[in-house]
Amino acid sequence: MSRTLSPLRPKRSPLLTAAMVLYLVYTLVPLIWLVLSASKTQADLVSTSGLWFGHRFALFDNVRDTLTYDDGIFLRWLGNTVLYVVVGAGGATLLATAAGYGLAKYKFKGRRAVFAVLLGAVAVPGTALAVPTFLMFSKLGLTNTVWAIIIPSLISPFGLYLIWVYATDAVPYDLLEAARIDGAGEIRIFFTVALRLLAPGIVTVLLFAVVSTWNNYFLPLIMLSKPNLYPLTVGLTQWSNQATGVGARPIYNLVITGSLLTIVPLVVAFLLLQRFWQSGLSAGSVKQ
């Protein structure tokens, strides 16, 4: 008996299924390698297969050594990263939400010019702006401070564009007019009406900003020279560099375990917020 095909039950494609399986393997193999390698000693890392366990299960020893090595500098780097993410990514989300909502719901002269500038800013990669930003911050005396990382992180052209597009359909003009007739001011309308309707879009922008700030490497690398200000990305690289040069002392087991600990907060954030994230990405995809 043949199955009835419908838009909700499309015909399965063996080629597409095989491609997805290959992509799944390609995605999971590095994660599996990371988990297995974090459970090995330094000696087992270089003498055993990368996709199998070592002679001794040393995951908990590696975690303890990672957290206590060099007077617990890893925890300091973790705290710095959390600070940069909370203030930088949180501030970027707040600014993008306010600006995107304003551009979507208020008409003023120059709005098209702002849109053109915004599209141009989205196309420029952050690494291209890192050196000019360093030169400017150096003249202002902000290098080697936490502001050298936080201030550039507050700017998110993509987040602003996403909120702008989302707010255009998610916040009806009639609802805003009804709130104004009831006597609500613009600030009150934004915080009590608009923010609730924009919640999926805000969570989506927040996730993108958190991942971008958490994985930020090049900007902290050129802005900071004090190890106590490093985020995890730069700090773990410094540990990895100890394996070369005179008096080298490889601690790859700690670098790999630190990398595993670094991705745990991101995985937890995605699992907790994926429901809002998915609804935000699919907003406007279905015509009603």
Side-chain angles (χ1 to χ4, degrees):
M1 180 177 178
S2 61
R3 295 181 178 179
T4 302
L5 299 179
S6 70
L8 297 178
R9 298 183 61 182
K11 182 180 179 181
R12 293 181 179 178
S13 169
L15 181 61
L16 182 60
T17 302
M20 292 304 298
V21 170
L22 288 176
Y23 181 75
L24 182 64
V25 172
Y26 174 80
T27 305
L28 290 179
V29 165
L31 182 61
I32 294 172
W33 178 90
L34 181 64
V35 174
L36 293 175
S37 298
S39 68
K40 299 179 182 179
T41 62
Q42 175 65 30
D44 286 344
L45 272 177
V46 296
S47 61
T48 60
S49 171
L51 294 177
W52 194 245
F53 294 97
H55 299 101
R56 187 169 72 87
F57 186 79
L59 175 61
F60 300 111
D61 293 338
N62 287 338
V63 171
R64 182 198 59 205
D65 294 342
T66 301
L67 298 180
T68 58
Y69 183 78
D70 198 10
D71 295 329
I73 191 66
F74 181 86
L75 294 176
R76 180 62 183 265
W77 295 338
L78 177 61
N80 292 339
T81 305
V82 172
L83 173 66
Y84 300 148
V85 167
V86 171
V87 181
T93 304
L94 180 62
L95 293 175
T97 302
Y101 168 76
L103 288 169
K105 294 302 169 185
Y106 296 96
K107 296 181 179 178
F108 54 88
K109 291 184 178 179
R111 197 169 70 152
R112 289 182 176 274
V114 173
F115 182 74
V117 172
L118 180 61
L119 287 181
V122 171
V124 177
T127 51
L129 301 176
V131 174
T133 304
F134 168 75
L135 296 176
M136 182 175 63
F137 277 42
S138 180
K139 288 187 176 181
L140 295 174
L142 293 176
T143 54
N144 270 324
T145 67
V146 296
W147 301 111
I149 309 303
I150 291 176
I151 293 177
S153 300
L154 294 175
I155 308 302
S156 176
F158 178 72
L160 196 159
Y161 176 75
L162 198 61
I163 291 293
W164 184 351
V165 173
Y166 189 81
T168 301
D169 294 328
V171 184
Y173 282 106
D174 294 342
L175 186 61
L176 299 180
E177 288 298 327
R180 291 176 183 133
I181 292 174
D182 289 341
E186 299 302 322
I187 300 297
R188 183 180 177 185
I189 292 175
F190 175 70
F191 284 103
T192 60
V193 178
L195 283 186
R196 296 182 180 180
L197 298 174
L198 293 174
I202 294 173
V203 173
T204 304
V205 172
L206 178 63
L207 273 175
F208 280 120
V210 166
V211 173
S212 175
T213 308
W214 191 275
N215 294 329
N216 195 0
Y217 173 73
F218 187 57
L219 183 66
L221 180 66
I222 65 173
M223 287 287 188
L224 305 175
S225 60
K226 298 178 179 177
N228 60 345
L229 294 177
Y230 286 167
L232 286 168
T233 51
V234 179
L236 291 175
T237 303
Q238 296 299 314
W239 276 5
S240 179
N241 292 338
Q242 292 185 18
T244 59
V246 179
R249 184 188 175 190
I251 50 172
Y252 290 129
N253 57 328
L254 303 189
V255 175
I256 292 173
T257 305
S259 301
L260 178 62
L261 296 177
T262 299
I263 68 172
V264 171
L266 290 180
V267 173
V268 172
F270 267 86
L271 292 178
L272 293 177
L273 300 176
Q274 67 171 349
R275 178 167 60 91
F276 299 98
W277 182 52
Q278 290 173 349
S279 60
L281 285 178
S282 61
S285 60
V286 179
K287 186 177 181 180
Q288 298 179 351

